Amino acid sequence: MSQDIWINLPVKDVEESTRFFNEIGFHTVNVGHKRAKLTIGQTTILLFPNAAFEKFTGSNVTDTSHSAEVIFSIGAESREEVDAFIQKVESAGGSVFGKPSETDGWMYGAGFADLDGHRWNLLYMDESRMPKGQ
């Protein structure tokens, strides 16, 4: 069985979402039929207009202004990468719901929402400071 996973994500405006994700440093290309392909490392995320997403899922799109359906977590190489990335998010029009901060003495991260309110976090883990047994 194939181990590939494609994530399908509903967006209000595919072109505007493509612009946003490219501005924050992700590789995003329009693939026709009003959809785009976002690649983060080995992960593929397909951006679909809300109506198309609702049609093939048979379900309404979550109202992200009132609830969250998922959070996408992305690994960072350093604290500085987290800080710089969050600055890009704010400049590109995203919103930060969790300012960069340290947790438990070995994790440093921040949370943001894209243009459609989908939640993401960026996390640097300093494994040399990680408590043993975790």
Side-chain angles (χ1 to χ4, degrees):
M1 179 169 73
S2 176
Q3 299 299 310
D4 294 336
I5 294 176
W6 297 279
I7 299 167
N8 299 307
L9 193 63
V11 298
K12 294 177 189 99
D13 185 323
V14 172
E15 288 183 20
E16 190 62 16
S17 291
T18 298
R19 178 205 56 81
F20 171 79
F21 286 116
N22 282 331
E23 280 189 31
I24 66 172
F26 295 153
H27 179 70
T28 310
V29 295
N30 285 322
V31 293
H33 304 293
K34 295 184 179 185
R35 63 180 190 217
K37 178 181 174 184
L38 167 63
T39 305
I40 306 170
Q42 300 297 316
T43 303
T44 299
I45 299 175
L46 300 173
L47 307 178
F48 287 92
N50 287 344
F53 186 88
E54 287 176 343
K55 184 177 180 180
F56 70 72
T57 62
S59 181
N60 292 332
V61 171
T62 297
D63 180 353
T64 56
S65 68
H66 298 292
S67 62
E69 76 280 38
V70 67
I71 189 165
F72 300 99
S73 298
I74 304 166
E77 296 293 322
S78 67
R79 296 168 68 103
E80 295 77 20
E81 182 182 2
V82 171
D83 293 340
F85 190 87
I86 290 302
Q87 288 178 350
K88 287 182 192 177
V89 166
E90 291 178 310
S91 295
S95 61
V96 176
F97 63 82
K99 296 285 186 187
S101 63
E102 187 172 287
T103 303
D104 296 333
W106 62 278
M107 293 183 287
Y108 184 81
F112 71 95
D114 63 26
L115 301 179
D116 291 281
H118 303 294
R119 292 180 174 262
W120 303 75
N121 71 4
L122 193 65
L123 185 63
Y124 167 66
M125 294 180 276
D126 184 346
E127 294 183 13
S128 70
R129 295 174 61 196
M130 182 187 297
K132 302 297 182 222
Q134 287 194 8

